[in-house]
Amino acid sequence: MPTTQFHNLPLPEAAAAAAHAALLALALLLLLLRAARALASRCASCLKPPRRRAVADGEGIVAASSSATGVWYRAALACCAYALLAQVAALSYEVAVAGSRVAVEALLLPAVQAVAWIALLALALQVRAVGWVRFPVLVRVWWVVSFLLCVGIAYDDSRHLMGDEDEVDYAHMVANFASAPALGFLCLVGVMGSTGVELEFTDDDSSGVHEPLLQRRDADEEPGCLRVTPYGDAGIVSLATLSWLSPLLSVGAQRPLELADIPLMAHKDRAKSCYKAMSNHYERQRMERPGSEPSLAWAILKSFWREAAINGAFAAVNTVVSYVGPYLISYFVDYLSGKIVFPHEGYILASVFFVAKLLETLTARQWYLGVDVMGIHVKSGLTAMVYRKGLRLSNASRQSHTSGEIVNYMAVDVQRVGDYAWYFHDIWMLPLQIILALAILYKNVGIAMVSTLVATVLSIAASVPVAKLQEHYQDKLMASKDERMRKTAECLKNMRILKLQAWEDRYRLKLEEMRNVECKWLRWALYSQAAVTFVFWSSPIFVAVITFGTCILLGGELTAGGVLSALATFRILQEPLRNFPDLISMIAQTRVSLDRLSHFLRQEELPDDATITVPQCSTDKAIDINDATFSWNPSSSTPTLSGINLSVVRGMRVAVCGVIGSGKSSLLSSILGEIPKLCGQVKVSGSAAYVSQTAWIQSGNIEENILFGSPMDKQRYKRVIEACSLKKDLQLLQYGDQTIIGDRGINLSGGQKQRVQLARALYQDADIYLLDDPFSAVDAHTGSELFRGYILTALASKTVIYVTHQIEFLPAADLILVLKDGHITQAGKYDDLLQAGTDFNALVCAHKEAIETMEFSEDSDEDTVSSVPNKRLTPSVSNIDNLKNKVSENEKPSSTRGIKEKKKKPEDRKKKRSVQEEERERGRVSLQVYLSYMGEAYKGTLIPLIILAQTMFQVLQIASNWWMAWANPQTEGDTPKTDSVILLVVYMSLAFGSSLFVFVRSLLVATFGLATAQKLFVKMLRCVFRAPMSFFDTTPSGRILNRVSVDQSVVDLDIAFRLGGFASTTIQLLGIVAVMTKVTWQVLILIVPMAVACMWMQRYYIASSRELTRILSVQKSPVIHLFSESIAGAATIRGFGQEKRFMKRNLYLLDCFARPLFSSLAAIEWLCLRMELLSTFVFAFCMAILVSFPPGTIEPSMAGLAVTYGLNLNARMSRWILSFCKLENRIISVERIYQYCKLPSEAPLIIENSRPLSSWPENGNIELVDLKVRYKDDLPLVLHGISCMFPGGKKIGIVGRTGSGKSTLIQALFRLIEPTGGKVIIDGIDISRIGLHDLRSRLSIIPQDPTLFEGTIRMNLDPLEECTDQEIWEALEKCQLGEVIRSKDEKLDSPVLENGDNWSVGQRQLIALGRALLKQAKILVLDEATASVDTATDNLIQKIIRSEFKDCTVCTIAHRIPTVIDSDLVLVLSDGKIAEFDTPQRLLEDKSSMFMQLVSEYSTRSSCI
C-alpha cells in the first residue's frame, strides 16, 4: 500500500495534528484549573458558617429545573459523533490493511483527531448538563479551526489528485472529504455560538409569573396574539432557509389568516425602539450643532448603520458570486470543444457553477429580507416622528400644513424614504459590478475592454438629464397629489353640508379637475419612463457592439466561448445599468421627500415656556397673567389680546363674556399656551382640563371618550354621567355607553357631543377647568341642570374659567371678565359691573330685550290660529307624573343597559357597532377583478398588443445571442462563419430591434395604466359622493382617504406595470426553457415536475400572502385615521396633557401595521428561496448532462448559449412566481376600489320626467303625513308617525329635549334620511318623487356647526359663482360682517384656512347666514344657528331673518327660548312624537304644557337679572 512508503506527513496534515494536540492540551489544562478552583472553593466553604436555608434555597429566586434541547443542539452533537466515526474508520482501515507494516506517521493524524473529537463530544454533552445557552469559547474556536484545517487538507489532496501523483493517502482523503459537511456546520455553530438549549424555570413560591404574562404588557390591546416572531432568535439553518416562517404559512394554508395569527415584532424591531433611536440621533445633532440644521438622512444612517452593514456584506458576496458563472463560461465551452486542462475538469466546473448559484440564492434572500426589515424600521421611526411633530406644531406652523398634507407626509414621503433602503447599496455596488465585468471582459476581449468602460460611462452620463426631468415631474406630481388629497379630506369631513347645500357636484368636479392636473404630470412621468426604458435596454447592446467592434478593429479574435462569456457579463451588467436611472430617480425622489420631511420637522413648535408651571404648595393662585400680549399671527400689527392682567385664586369661578370676535376663546388658549405670546408672563398652578367650543370627539365608544385613557372608577364614572346629564341619553341609545361613535362624533347631536366633552373633562379630576361656551349646544332645561350639577356642584372646589353667551350664568361667578377687541375692558362681580355700565350693560340689555319678547300681549294673529288645527297633545299633571314614574321605573334596567353594557358576552359586544368594520374580502381574488381591470381601458384591446411586443422582444433577443454564438469560431484558430461587418450589423439589427419592441411595450403599458387608473378614480369618486349620508356616518374618513390615496397610487403607478412585468417574465421564462431544451431535451424530465412543484408552492404561499396583504390594507386605515383625528384635536390632547398616551397609541398601530407587512415580505422571500433552489438544481442537472456527453457530441456554442441562459433560470423562475404573487397582492387595491364603486347610492339627483317648476316652492307650505323615520332597518323608529302642517310664509319654532327627534326631522326634510313610512309634501309635491338636487337646491339651511372651506370669503359665500360682488357685499352688510371684511387687505379674497380656523365660531355662523341670504330660498331651516353667538348678536340675527325672510317659511330649532318665542307656531317634540303644536300664546296659556315648562325653566334661570 502507498501508506507504508510514507516517512513524513504532508504539511497540512502535520499542521492539523499539531493544532489538535495543542487544543487537547489546552482543554486538559483548563479542566485541571477548574478542578483546583472547585477544590479550593469547597475547602473555603467548610471554614465559613452555613447560610440560612431561605437564602440558600433562593427564597423566591427563580431556578432552572430542567432544560430542553432543540434541533440545533442535537445536530451539533450528531456532527461531532459523525466526525469521530470518520476518524475511527480511517484509523481502523490503516491498521487492518497495513497490519504490522503500518507507519506511525499514517496513524498519527486519525489517532489525534479521534481523541480530539472524543473530547469535543464530551464538552458538548456537558453543555446540556450545566444548562449553558452558549457553547464554551474553546469549543467554538476548536470547531472553526477544524473546518479550516479540513479545507486546507482537501485543497492539498485535490491538487495531488489532479496532478496524477501517486503519493495520496486515500483513507485520509476519504475521511477528510466525508467529514467536510459536518465540520462546515460545526463551524457555523461556532461562529453563532448559541447552543439552542432552552431552560425551563420554576418558582419556589408558585407565584405563577411566567414569561408569556410578561409579554402581555407589550402586547397590550392585542390579547389575541402573545407570540413574538421567531425571526430574531432563529438558528442559522432556520434563518438561511426561512423555515421560521413555516408555522404561519401552515395556518394560512388551512384557513384565512387573522391579525391575531400574526406574531408580534421583536422588541428591537418595534416602532418604539426605531422612533427612540432616530429621534435621539436627530436631537443630538441639534444640540451638538446649534447653528446648523440637523440632517434627517444622517440620523437615519446613524440609527440603522449596523443593519445596513450586514445587508452590505450579503450584497457584496451576492455580487461577487453572480460573476462566477460568466467568468467560467469560456472555460466550459473550451472543455466541450475538447480542450481539457486537467482531469475531471467538467465535473469540477459544474460543481463550481452549482455552488456559486447556491450561494447567490442564499445571500440574495438574506440581503432582500434585511433590506425589507430596515425599510420597516425607517418607516416606523419616521412616521412616529411626523406624528409627534403634528401634535406639537405651533399655530403659525399649523396654518401652513393642513391635515391632508401631514397625512401625505406619512402616506407618501415616509414610504418613499423607507423604500430607498432597496437602493442604498447600489451606489457602491454599481462600481464593483463594473470592475468585475471589466476584469472578465479583459480576459475575453483584451484591451478592447477600455471601450466597454467608455461606453458604460457614456450610458451612465446620459441618465443625468433624464434624472433631472424625472425629479421635475415627480415634484409636480407630488404637489398636485397634495392639493387633491387636501381638498378630498376637506370634502369628506364636510360631506353633510355639501349635501344639505346641494354642492356635492360642484366640489366633485373640482376634485376631478385637480385629478386631471395630477394625471397630466403622471402622464409625463410615465411616458418619460418609457423612453428611459428604451434607452437603458439599448445601453447594454450599445456597450456590446462597441466592445465587439473595438476588439475586431484591434485585430483580436472572438471565440464562441469569449462572446458568450461577454454576453453573460453584459446580461448581469444590464441589470445595474437598467436600474441606474431608477437609482438616480429614487435618489431624487428620496431627496425631495427627505427635504419635505426635514422642512416639516423643523417647523416651529409650541414653546415649552409659553406658560410657567408653579407648584401648588408655593402659591394660592391657580392662574396669574401679568401684562401679557398674544397674537395668533405674530407678524400682525394688531395683536389678538393685549395688556392682559389676570389673577385667579384657587377655587374661583371666572366667567368670560363679550361679543363675537372679542377674544374670549383666545384668552383660554393663552392659559393653555396655544397662542403665541409676544410679551408678559403666564403662570399656571395645577393640572388643566379643556372643553373646546367646537366639540372634538374620538372614534370609539362613549365610555372610551369619557375615560380618555384614565382607569375605570365606577363610582366616579356614575357621578360624572349624572353631573353631565347624560343618563337619559345613554338610556335612549341602543347600546348605552358602549355605542360606537362615528367619525368626529357624527352620529351624536351637538348637545350630546358637548356633554361627552364635559364628562371627559370632569372625569380627569383636574385642578383647573377651562370651558369654552359649553352650554351653547344644549336646551335651556339641560343647560340649567348642567350649570347647577356641573359647575356649581361637581366643580365647586375647582378653579373654573368658563366662556358663555348666556347672561343668566354670570351672577354665580366670583369674577366676570368683559372682553372687547382683545382687551379686558371690565372685570368684577356681576352687580358691580351692572352699576359701571358700558360694555357689560349692553350685553345685559340685549338679554333683557330677548326676555321681553316672551311677554305676549293679549292680541294675537287670529288668522294664524284659525288656519292651524290644534294638534296639541296636552299632557295633564298625572301624565307628567306617569312619565316621571316610567323613567324612575326604568332607571335600573337603563343603567344596566347604559353603563354596564360592557359586561355582556364578547360576541354581544361585537354587535355594538354604529361604525362598520372595514370591508375585507377573503379567499382568492376573483378572476372577474382581473378581467374587469383589463377591460376598463379601450375594452382590453391593448393587452394582446402588449403581449405581442414582449414576445417579439424576447425572440429577437434570443436570435441576437444565438447569432453571436453561431457565427464566431468555436475555439481559437477556427475559421469564422461570416464577415465581421455582417456579424456586427446583423447583431445590431436584432438587438436594437428587440429594444424598440420594449419601448413599444412600455408605451402601451403606460397608456393602458393611465386610462384605467383615471376611469377607476372617477368611478370611485362619483360613487363616494353619491353615497347616502349614513355611509359617511359609519365610515371613518381615514378609511376613505386610504382608498383614494394609497390604493389609487398603487393603481396609478404599479398595477399596470405589474401586469406587464408578469407577461414579460412569463415570456422570458419560456424563452430560457426553450433554449435549454433545444440543447439538452433531458432537462424536460426535471422541468415538468419542477413546474408542478412551483405551482403547488405558489398556491401554498398565496393563500397566506393574499390575506396578509388584505390585513395590511385594513391596518393602514387606523394609522391614517389617528393621524387626521389627532391633528384635528391637538389642542384638546395638549390641554389634557395626553400627548404621551396618543403617541403610545400611534406606536401600537404602527406595530399592528408592521406585523403583517413583515410577515408578507418574509413570505415573499420564503417562496423565492424555494423557487430558486429548485431552478438551481435543474441548472445543475443540465450542467451534469452536458459534461457527461463525450466531446464533440454537442455543439459547444449551443451548449454555451444554454448555460448562458440557464444562469438566469433561478432568477427568472422566482421572478415569474413573485411577479404573479405581487400582482395578486397589488390587485387587491383594485378589489378595494371596486368595493367603493359598488356603494349603495342616494336617490337620483335629477329625475327628468319629474322636475318641479323653476319657481317651486312658491308658497313654502310643508305638510308632514304620518312621517316615520329610522336610521337603520334593525334600529327602532326615531320619528313615530308625525303629521302636521307648516303654513307657507310662517315662522315655525321646533323645540324639545335632547334626543326628541328635532334634527332627525330636518334630515328627513332634506332627505338625508329616507322615510320608512309616510311622506313630506312641499307646495303639493311629494319630495320623494323629485330629484335630490332639485329638492336641496330649493331649500336653505344654517346648520348648528358652521362649516367653512379652505379658500376665500367669496368662495365660501358663493361656491357656485352665481352672484355678483355687489350682491355678496350686500349680504355681508346684512349679516354684520361688512366692516370686518372691508378691514382686511384682500377684501372678498380674504383667506379662509382649513376648518375656518382663522375666524371665530360666531363669525363662521354669520358667514353661514350670509350664504342663506344669497340663496334666497323660500324655505329656510335654522338648526341651532345662533348657539355660538352672544345674545345681542342672536337678537340681531333674528331681526335680519324677520326682515329678509319675512315671506319665507322659517323652521327654527333652538334651545334659547327667546329665539322661538315670537314664532307663529311652535312644534314641541318628545321621544319622536308630536307633544304639542300650536301658537306660542296658546301653549303658554296652558300651565301644564311642555312648552310652558321650557319657558319657565328659561325664565327662572334668568330671573336673577
Side-chain angles (χ1 to χ4, degrees):
M1 291 295 295
T3 52
T4 59
Q5 300 171 6
F6 285 170
H7 299 288
N8 295 303
L9 277 175
L11 180 61
E13 293 192 8
H20 282 295
L23 288 168
L24 268 170
L26 181 60
L28 185 61
L29 177 63
L30 291 174
L31 187 63
L32 290 172
L33 287 173
R34 180 177 296 178
R37 187 176 64 179
L39 181 62
S41 173
R42 186 175 297 175
C43 293
S45 64
C46 293
L47 300 175
K48 290 182 180 179
R51 300 178 67 184
R52 290 185 300 125
R53 179 171 178 77
V55 176
D57 290 345
E59 202 167 32
I61 296 174
V62 178
S65 64
S66 62
S67 60
T69 57
V71 176
W72 190 258
Y73 175 76
R74 291 196 296 271
L77 282 182
C79 287
C80 289
Y82 174 75
L84 172 61
L85 184 64
Q87 298 306 323
V88 170
L91 187 63
S92 301
Y93 178 82
E94 293 285 0
V95 173
V97 173
S100 59
R101 297 178 298 142
V102 65
V104 176
E105 294 89 341
L107 301 178
L108 179 62
L109 180 61
V112 171
Q113 286 193 348
V115 175
W117 284 111
I118 290 172
L120 282 169
L121 189 59
L123 289 171
L125 287 169
Q126 187 189 18
V127 165
R128 180 181 178 182
V130 177
W132 288 334
V133 293
R134 297 183 71 81
F135 285 107
V137 175
L138 176 63
V139 173
R140 293 165 58 191
V141 171
W142 205 332
W143 283 340
V144 173
V145 169
S146 297
F147 176 68
L148 295 177
L149 291 170
C150 175
V151 171
I153 294 171
Y155 172 76
D156 188 62
D157 286 343
S158 301
R159 189 168 55 82
H160 287 301
L161 192 64
M162 290 180 183
D164 291 333
E165 298 181 21
D166 292 333
E167 295 185 357
V168 177
D169 190 327
Y170 289 102
H172 289 193
M173 184 181 71
V174 170
N176 189 66
F177 275 110
S179 303
L183 295 183
F185 176 75
L186 289 173
C187 177
L188 291 175
V189 176
V191 171
M192 299 301 293
S194 175
T195 62
V197 173
E198 299 175 1
L199 301 181
E200 296 177 1
F201 293 97
T202 59
D203 197 346
D204 291 340
D205 62 2
S206 302
S207 63
V209 179
H210 300 291
E211 188 63 24
L213 291 179
L214 300 178
Q215 291 176 1
R216 183 179 292 273
R217 292 177 300 177
D218 300 316
D220 60 343
E221 305 186 59
E222 189 57 48
C225 182
L226 301 176
R227 294 174 293 105
V228 175
T229 177
Y231 172 66
D233 299 322
I236 190 71
V237 176
S238 183
L239 284 173
T241 60
L242 301 175
S243 57
W244 54 267
L245 189 67
S246 297
L248 179 65
L249 297 181
S250 177
V251 174
Q254 296 167 17
R255 60 173 174 80
L257 288 174
E258 302 293 342
L259 181 63
D261 296 320
I262 304 170
L264 303 172
M265 301 289 283
H267 287 277
K268 65 182 181 62
D269 296 325
R270 293 185 189 174
K272 182 178 180 180
S273 302
C274 302
Y275 163 69
K276 279 187 174 181
M278 288 177 60
S279 183
N280 289 342
H281 285 108
Y282 189 76
E283 293 302 324
R284 191 175 298 158
Q285 290 182 67
R286 196 193 298 273
M287 289 186 291
E288 291 174 354
R289 296 178 294 171
S292 60
E293 297 293 346
S295 169
L296 183 59
W298 183 247
I300 294 171
L301 186 60
K302 288 280 286 181
S303 302
F304 306 113
W305 68 268
R306 288 184 181 85
E307 295 174 46
I310 293 171
N311 293 338
F314 281 120
V317 173
N318 181 267
T319 302
V320 171
V321 297
S322 67
Y323 278 89
V324 170
Y327 178 79
L328 294 178
I329 281 181
S330 59
Y331 293 108
F332 189 71
V333 173
D334 288 345
Y335 169 77
L336 294 178
S337 302
K339 193 177 177 182
I340 300 173
V341 179
F342 53 84
H344 314 297
E345 180 185 5
Y347 290 105
I348 290 174
L349 284 173
S351 301
V352 174
F353 270 115
F354 172 68
V355 171
K357 295 307 292 181
L358 197 60
L359 275 175
E360 184 183 348
T361 296
L362 294 172
T363 53
R365 303 283 62 90
Q366 297 303 315
W367 170 25
Y368 293 164
L369 183 59
V371 164
D372 288 330
V373 171
M374 183 176 170
I376 292 173
H377 290 171
V378 172
K379 285 182 272 193
S380 296
L382 273 179
T383 303
M385 289 178 72
V386 171
Y387 180 79
R388 187 250 171 216
K389 189 71 179 184
L391 288 180
R392 297 291 303 154
L393 281 180
S394 68
N395 179 66
S397 302
R398 180 70 184 83
Q399 290 182 4
S400 61
H401 295 86
T402 65
S403 58
E405 285 178 333
I406 297 174
V407 168
N408 239 15
Y409 291 140
M410 183 272 296
V412 179
D413 294 293
V414 168
Q415 179 74 29
R416 185 168 294 143
V417 174
D419 289 343
Y420 182 68
W422 273 94
Y423 298 85
F424 180 70
H425 294 293
D426 288 355
I427 299 170
W428 60 265
M429 279 173 58
L430 182 62
L432 174 63
Q433 288 169 319
I434 291 174
I435 291 169
L436 291 173
L438 291 176
I440 295 172
L441 289 171
Y442 180 75
K443 178 180 77 71
N444 292 312
V445 298
I447 197 63
M449 68 88 181
V450 175
S451 63
T452 306
L453 179 61
V454 174
T456 303
V457 171
L458 289 175
S459 298
I460 293 173
S463 67
V464 175
V466 176
K468 289 184 178 178
L469 195 64
Q470 287 279 312
E471 184 177 353
H472 170 69
Y473 290 147
Q474 193 64 37
D475 283 344
K476 295 292 186 181
L477 181 62
M478 287 305 303
S480 59
K481 187 180 180 67
D482 279 350
E483 193 67 25
R484 174 176 67 83
M485 286 303 301
R486 183 167 59 188
K487 184 58 70 176
T488 303
E490 185 179 54
C491 289
L492 293 175
K493 189 161 53 177
N494 301 310
M495 186 57 71
R496 184 176 294 275
I497 194 68
L498 292 182
K499 288 185 178 292
L500 287 171
Q501 299 283 6
W503 292 345
E504 67 263 46
D505 257 11
R506 172 68 178 173
Y507 278 83
R508 177 181 58 76
L509 290 172
K510 279 187 179 181
L511 286 178
E512 288 184 10
E513 289 169 9
M514 291 179 172
R515 170 66 183 179
N516 288 335
V517 173
E518 181 186 356
C519 212
K520 180 186 77 172
W521 295 114
L522 184 63
R523 180 178 293 106
W524 278 110
L526 294 180
Y527 282 159
S528 63
Q529 186 61 43
V532 168
T533 302
F534 169 69
V535 170
F536 284 92
W537 269 101
S538 302
S539 293
I541 299 167
F542 169 71
V543 171
V545 169
I546 294 295
T547 303
F548 293 148
T550 306
C551 182
I552 292 170
L553 288 174
L554 292 176
E557 185 180 1
L558 291 174
T559 63
V563 166
L564 289 171
S565 178
L567 287 175
T569 304
F570 293 142
R571 185 185 291 277
I572 294 180
L573 193 59
Q574 181 183 24
E575 200 70 28
L577 282 180
R578 195 173 74 242
N579 289 339
F580 187 74
D582 291 339
L583 172 62
I584 299 296
S585 175
M586 195 64 191
I587 290 174
Q589 292 176 27
T590 306
R591 192 175 69 183
V592 169
S593 291
L594 278 171
D595 288 344
R596 282 160 54 90
L597 290 169
S598 297
H599 175 69
F600 177 69
L601 293 174
R602 289 197 301 267
Q603 290 296 296
E604 180 187 28
E605 295 185 5
L606 288 171
D608 294 330
D609 60 348
T611 60
I612 301 171
T613 303
V614 180
Q616 293 188 12
C617 58
S618 63
T619 179
D620 64 340
K621 294 180 180 178
I623 298 167
D624 191 12
I625 304 178
N626 296 317
D627 198 24
T629 300
F630 306 91
S631 178
W632 288 114
N633 182 8
S635 61
S636 173
S637 57
T638 307
T640 309
L641 297 171
S642 60
I644 302 297
N645 287 283
L646 176 63
S647 183
V648 180
V649 177
R650 191 174 293 115
M652 281 182 68
R653 279 193 299 272
V654 180
V656 182
C657 60
V659 297
I660 59 172
S662 58
K664 302 183 294 298
S665 298
S666 298
L667 180 64
L668 298 188
S669 297
S670 70
I671 298 170
L672 291 169
E674 293 287 325
I675 182 170
K677 181 179 66 179
L678 303 182
C679 63
Q681 268 190 343
V682 180
K683 297 179 180 178
V684 179
S685 177
S687 58
Y690 172 59
V691 176
S692 59
Q693 186 174 10
T694 304
W696 178 73
I697 304 294
Q698 275 190 280
S699 296
N701 64 37
I702 294 174
E703 180 192 287
E704 291 167 353
N705 270 275
I706 294 174
L707 296 182
F708 206 53
S710 298
M712 168 60 86
D713 180 336
K714 291 184 179 179
Q715 293 304 316
R716 188 184 357 160
Y717 185 75
K718 286 183 179 179
R719 291 196 299 271
V720 167
I721 295 294
E722 291 283 350
C724 297
S725 304
L726 277 171
K727 192 171 182 180
K728 186 177 180 183
D729 296 271
L730 296 183
Q731 294 170 13
L732 295 173
L733 293 171
Q734 187 179 11
Y735 300 114
D737 63 352
Q738 299 301 304
T739 300
I740 300 293
I741 301 173
D743 201 12
R744 305 181 311 282
I746 202 164
N747 51 344
L748 295 180
S749 70
Q752 287 169 332
K753 284 191 281 188
Q754 197 65 275
R755 280 177 288 137
V756 169
Q757 275 209 126
L758 287 166
R760 176 172 64 202
L762 181 58
Y763 192 83
Q764 301 306 307
D765 194 27
D767 302 311
I768 302 169
Y769 282 80
L770 306 174
L771 314 177
D772 194 352
D773 200 11
F775 311 115
S776 60
V778 296
D779 58 66
H781 171 72
T782 308
S784 301
E785 280 189 355
L786 270 177
F787 191 76
R788 285 193 301 270
Y790 193 89
I791 291 183
L792 299 182
T793 305
L795 300 181
S797 62
K798 304 290 186 181
T799 305
V800 183
I801 300 181
Y802 61 97
V803 173
T804 185
H805 291 130
Q806 279 86 347
I807 302 299
E808 56 271 24
F809 293 144
L810 297 179
D814 300 317
L815 176 67
I816 299 172
L817 304 178
V818 183
L819 268 73
K820 183 178 181 181
D821 298 330
H823 300 274
I824 299 178
T825 56
Q826 290 177 277
K829 286 186 174 290
Y830 183 82
D831 293 332
D832 299 336
L833 293 180
L834 265 185
Q835 293 173 5
T838 63
D839 298 323
F840 184 72
N841 206 27
L843 291 170
V844 175
C845 288
H847 180 74
K848 287 183 176 178
E849 284 179 22
I851 295 299
E852 286 168 4
T853 62
M854 295 163 57
E855 298 172 3
F856 281 85
S857 62
E858 293 297 322
D859 300 328
S860 61
D861 190 344
E862 295 296 334
D863 294 336
T864 302
V865 175
S866 60
S867 65
V868 179
N870 190 343
K871 290 196 176 183
R872 178 161 55 95
L873 309 177
T874 310
S876 64
V877 176
S878 60
N879 287 339
I880 294 175
D881 291 339
N882 290 338
L883 181 65
K884 289 181 179 177
N885 292 337
K886 186 177 179 181
V887 171
S888 177
E889 288 168 8
N890 290 337
E891 187 171 353
K892 186 173 181 181
S894 70
S895 174
T896 304
R897 186 184 67 208
I899 300 176
K900 298 183 180 178
E901 185 74 32
K902 56 188 170 293
K903 291 188 177 180
K904 289 189 178 183
K905 295 178 182 178
E907 56 266 26
D908 292 336
R909 291 196 62 178
K910 290 179 183 177
K911 298 176 184 176
K912 300 181 181 103
R913 293 283 178 240
S914 289
V915 177
Q916 297 172 354
E917 293 291 338
E918 183 163 6
E919 305 89 344
R920 175 189 152 200
E921 301 289 343
R922 283 172 170 78
R924 295 194 63 178
V925 176
S926 169
L927 180 62
Q928 187 60 40
V929 174
Y930 290 94
L931 297 177
S932 299
Y933 175 78
M934 290 189 287
E936 283 289 343
Y938 309 106
K939 296 183 179 179
T941 53
L942 294 184
I943 301 296
L945 295 178
I946 292 170
I947 294 173
L948 178 63
Q950 180 61 38
T951 305
M952 290 303 299
F953 158 74
Q954 188 64 29
V955 169
L956 290 177
Q957 193 182 54
I958 292 173
S960 64
N961 292 338
W962 173 83
W963 168 258
M964 291 300 289
W966 175 83
N968 280 295
Q970 302 298 310
T971 56
E972 291 182 15
D974 288 356
T975 305
K977 298 179 181 178
T978 184
D979 183 66
S980 58
V981 176
I982 297 174
L983 175 76
L984 287 177
V985 169
V986 172
Y987 176 69
M988 287 173 61
S989 302
L990 293 171
F992 283 113
S994 68
S995 297
L996 182 62
F997 277 107
V998 164
F999 178 59
V1000 171
R1001 189 209 72 185
S1002 299
L1003 281 178
L1004 290 174
V1005 169
T1007 303
F1008 167 77
L1010 274 169
T1012 306
Q1014 186 67 356
K1015 277 196 171 186
L1016 285 176
F1017 175 82
V1018 171
K1019 189 184 292 186
M1020 174 174 63
L1021 186 69
R1022 290 178 180 176
C1023 287
V1024 167
F1025 269 69
R1026 292 288 297 119
M1029 200 61 222
S1030 59
F1031 168 74
F1032 299 96
D1033 291 347
T1034 58
T1035 306
S1037 59
R1039 193 178 294 172
I1040 306 173
L1041 286 174
N1042 199 11
R1043 297 289 207 290
V1044 297
S1045 61
V1046 178
D1047 289 315
Q1048 186 61 44
S1049 292
V1050 171
V1051 174
D1052 286 345
L1053 300 166
D1054 208 13
I1055 290 183
F1057 295 95
R1058 293 283 177 198
L1059 200 61
F1062 175 66
S1064 168
T1065 311
T1066 304
I1067 293 167
Q1068 287 179 9
L1069 185 62
L1070 291 174
I1072 291 172
V1073 172
V1075 171
M1076 291 179 69
T1077 52
K1078 171 70 171 64
V1079 178
T1080 54
W1081 62 265
Q1082 294 88 346
V1083 171
L1084 286 174
I1085 298 170
L1086 279 188
I1087 288 285
V1088 174
M1090 183 189 75
V1092 172
C1094 286
M1095 295 306 296
W1096 178 84
M1097 276 193 281
Q1098 182 269 336
R1099 293 186 65 179
Y1100 182 81
Y1101 153 83
I1102 201 66
S1104 299
S1105 177
R1106 187 193 303 117
E1107 300 308 318
L1108 287 169
T1109 304
R1110 284 173 173 150
I1111 293 171
L1112 197 60
S1113 300
V1114 171
Q1115 290 302 316
K1116 184 78 171 176
S1117 299
V1119 178
I1120 296 175
H1121 182 68
L1122 182 69
F1123 252 71
S1124 53
E1125 188 175 67
S1126 301
I1127 290 161
T1132 301
I1133 294 169
R1134 291 191 293 263
F1136 283 91
Q1138 293 272 4
E1139 296 102 311
K1140 286 186 178 179
R1141 184 173 71 86
F1142 274 80
M1143 189 69 197
K1144 183 180 178 183
R1145 175 70 181 170
N1146 178 56
L1147 293 173
Y1148 165 73
L1149 290 177
L1150 286 173
D1151 285 335
C1152 283
F1153 175 70
R1155 283 161 58 192
L1157 176 60
F1158 170 68
S1159 297
S1160 178
L1161 295 171
I1164 291 172
E1165 303 307 329
W1166 181 93
L1167 178 69
C1168 287
L1169 176 67
R1170 281 147 182 78
M1171 298 292 103
E1172 292 191 12
L1173 286 176
L1174 276 176
S1175 51
T1176 299
F1177 284 115
V1178 171
F1179 173 67
F1181 178 70
C1182 177
M1183 294 289 294
I1185 291 174
L1186 289 174
V1187 298
S1188 64
F1189 289 157
T1193 306
I1194 190 170
E1195 189 175 351
S1197 59
M1198 291 301 99
L1201 186 64
V1203 173
T1204 304
Y1205 274 89
L1207 286 172
N1208 278 330
L1209 179 62
N1210 61 339
R1212 291 300 164 196
M1213 174 61 74
S1214 63
R1215 187 169 294 183
W1216 176 60
I1217 295 293
L1218 189 59
S1219 63
F1220 176 71
C1221 295
K1222 284 195 172 183
L1223 173 62
E1224 178 145 353
N1225 289 342
R1226 293 294 190 275
I1227 206 76
I1228 288 171
S1229 290
V1230 175
E1231 182 183 70
R1232 285 162 56 81
I1233 288 175
Y1234 274 135
Q1235 285 176 347
Y1236 274 25
C1237 291
K1238 297 173 184 175
L1239 292 174
S1241 178
E1242 284 186 306
L1245 291 176
I1246 294 173
I1247 301 174
E1248 289 296 340
N1249 58 359
S1250 183
R1251 300 201 67 177
L1253 298 173
S1254 59
S1255 59
W1256 179 87
E1258 295 177 353
N1259 302 317
N1261 291 318
I1262 303 174
E1263 184 179 359
L1264 308 178
V1265 181
D1266 194 28
L1267 185 64
K1268 298 176 182 176
V1269 175
R1270 58 162 50 99
Y1271 283 96
K1272 277 185 180 180
D1273 292 338
D1274 58 340
L1275 294 180
L1277 288 172
V1278 180
L1279 297 181
H1280 301 263
I1282 290 180
S1283 297
C1284 60
M1285 173 77 172
F1286 299 164
K1290 301 299 180 183
K1291 308 296 179 283
I1292 314 295
I1294 304 173
V1295 295
R1297 307 281 191 213
T1298 299
S1300 59
K1302 303 185 297 295
S1303 295
T1304 305
L1305 179 62
I1306 299 305
Q1307 291 187 66
L1309 181 63
F1310 281 82
R1311 289 180 65 190
L1312 288 183
I1313 307 172
E1314 294 290 352
T1316 305
K1319 53 188 174 180
V1320 180
I1321 299 173
I1322 298 179
D1323 281 1
I1325 294 180
D1326 184 350
I1327 64 172
S1328 65
R1329 299 185 180 277
I1330 62 174
L1332 292 179
H1333 184 79
D1334 286 334
L1335 169 66
R1336 294 168 182 168
S1337 62
R1338 311 295 175 88
L1339 308 180
S1340 192
I1341 186 169
I1342 304 176
Q1344 183 175 3
D1345 296 323
T1347 300
L1348 296 190
F1349 294 87
E1350 188 179 3
T1352 63
I1353 289 293
R1354 177 190 280 107
M1355 186 273 288
N1356 270 279
L1357 286 167
D1358 181 30
L1360 303 182
E1361 301 175 0
E1362 294 175 341
C1363 304
T1364 64
D1365 282 6
Q1366 181 61 33
E1367 290 170 331
I1368 294 174
W1369 278 117
E1370 289 175 3
L1372 287 172
E1373 293 293 346
K1374 289 174 183 176
C1375 63
Q1376 307 300 304
L1377 279 175
E1379 185 179 344
V1380 176
I1381 304 298
R1382 281 198 172 89
S1383 67
K1384 306 280 185 182
D1385 295 336
E1386 299 91 344
K1387 302 296 189 292
L1388 291 178
D1389 292 322
S1390 297
V1392 177
L1393 300 180
E1394 187 181 19
N1395 303 321
D1397 286 342
N1398 57 334
W1399 298 85
S1400 74
V1401 175
Q1403 289 170 328
R1404 287 182 236 165
Q1405 199 64 279
L1406 292 175
I1407 291 173
L1409 174 61
R1411 290 173 182 159
L1413 289 168
L1414 285 172
K1415 198 170 184 180
Q1416 283 295 326
K1418 195 66 179 175
I1419 296 174
L1420 172 66
V1421 176
L1422 284 80
D1423 186 3
E1424 287 296 335
T1426 57
S1428 301
V1429 298
D1430 57 86
T1431 308
T1433 308
D1434 186 9
N1435 295 342
L1436 181 65
I1437 289 174
Q1438 296 305 321
K1439 288 177 183 176
I1440 294 169
I1441 290 171
R1442 280 194 290 271
S1443 61
E1444 297 297 327
F1445 297 94
K1446 58 185 175 182
D1447 298 325
C1448 301
T1449 305
V1450 180
C1451 301
T1452 305
I1453 295 177
H1455 291 137
R1456 286 179 179 171
I1457 296 301
T1459 304
V1460 298
I1461 201 71
D1462 65 341
S1463 300
D1464 298 315
L1465 292 165
V1466 172
L1467 174 67
V1468 183
L1469 292 176
S1470 176
D1471 296 330
K1473 299 175 183 176
I1474 297 179
E1476 299 160 359
F1477 182 45
D1478 210 330
T1479 63
Q1481 182 185 8
R1482 285 188 178 178
L1483 292 175
L1484 289 173
E1485 288 172 355
D1486 186 346
K1487 303 305 179 185
S1488 64
S1489 70
M1490 289 185 68
F1491 185 66
M1492 184 64 191
Q1493 290 179 28
L1494 294 171
V1495 173
S1496 299
E1497 288 164 2
Y1498 193 85
S1499 300
T1500 303
R1501 195 170 82 177
S1502 307
S1503 61
C1504 61
I1505 300 175

